[in-house]
Amino acid sequence: MTENLITPGAILMGKFRVERILGRGAMGVVIAATHLGFDRQVAMKFMLPGKKPSDEAQARFLQEARIAARLTTQHVAKILDVGMMDEMTPYLVMELLAGKDPSAVLEERGPLPVPEAVGYVLQVCEATAEAHKAGIVHRDLKPANLFLATLADGSPCVKLLDFGVSKLGGGVELTTESA
């Protein structure tokens, strides 16, 4: 896959129309897209295009989706699909979240009132508790892996993201110490 395919208006796999790029990271790109068959807005995450990922990187990416899909709490972004777009490009499809990054909220509002901040922390605790009950250790809890979503009724809901460096019970690690 080339970077040119991930441009607004492009149709991916015959069923997703790219709407906009939401972010880029060291390992991938996240876009907003419309699932044409369902007329539903989704977020899609791809490993960075341009070269075939290592088998380990590809396995870690696909495992991230499988791990997050096990969790049912509203405080983890819902995974809807996972697969390979082509031999070089793993992807995952997840719910498209409305809301803001915690750092943007803090920049806009300054320090949050203690009851509100405690409520957000408790929501993160609920997500990690469910993960731990399923034998999953996130291993990368930080503000960049949280999102302050707004539910349909307007209430705030913290979503835990990015299970890419998680560890499963039984000693199975999804990353190496150097990653």
Side-chain angles (χ1 to χ4, degrees):
M1 178 174 94
T2 65
E3 189 94 30
N4 296 338
L5 288 178
I6 305 178
T7 58
I11 305 297
L12 306 177
M13 298 174 282
K15 60 182 175 180
F16 297 102
R17 182 181 55 241
V18 177
E19 302 299 337
R20 66 190 181 283
I21 294 176
L22 298 173
R24 296 179 195 271
M27 290 290 293
V29 60
V30 179
I31 65 167
T34 300
H35 186 294
L36 298 173
F38 297 139
D39 192 28
R40 178 181 180 173
Q41 296 288 301
V42 297
M44 297 181 74
K45 182 176 179 179
F46 297 91
M47 288 192 78
L48 282 178
K51 66 176 187 171
K52 183 166 175 39
S54 70
D55 289 342
E56 178 186 349
Q58 185 174 313
R60 187 169 60 226
F61 184 89
L62 295 173
Q63 185 71 20
E64 170 188 355
R66 291 181 186 109
I67 283 175
R70 288 180 174 183
L71 305 175
T72 60
T73 176
Q74 71 175 344
H75 300 297
V76 172
K78 301 293 177 238
I79 303 298
L80 307 172
D81 193 16
V82 62
M84 295 292 293
M85 189 161 103
D86 56 37
E87 64 197 36
M88 294 175 32
T89 314
Y91 71 91
L92 61 92
V93 180
M94 58 196 136
E95 68 178 317
L96 181 63
L97 301 174
K100 294 185 179 183
D101 179 276
S103 62
V105 173
L106 291 173
E107 189 172 304
E108 285 176 9
R109 297 177 49 199
L112 301 177
V114 171
E116 183 178 355
V118 168
Y120 293 151
V121 169
L122 290 174
Q123 291 179 40
V124 174
C125 289
E126 184 179 319
T128 56
E130 183 179 342
H132 290 181
K133 185 175 180 181
I136 301 164
V137 179
H138 188 278
R139 297 191 343 154
D140 199 19
L141 289 176
K142 60 186 178 186
N145 286 337
L146 301 175
F147 191 81
L148 296 179
T150 304
L151 300 177
D153 67 1
S155 62
C157 178
V158 175
K159 297 280 189 167
L160 179 58
L161 311 171
D162 198 349
F163 284 79
V165 296
S166 298
K167 183 177 179 180
L168 295 172
V172 178
E173 291 193 30
L174 301 180
T175 187
T176 61
E177 289 298 316
S178 61

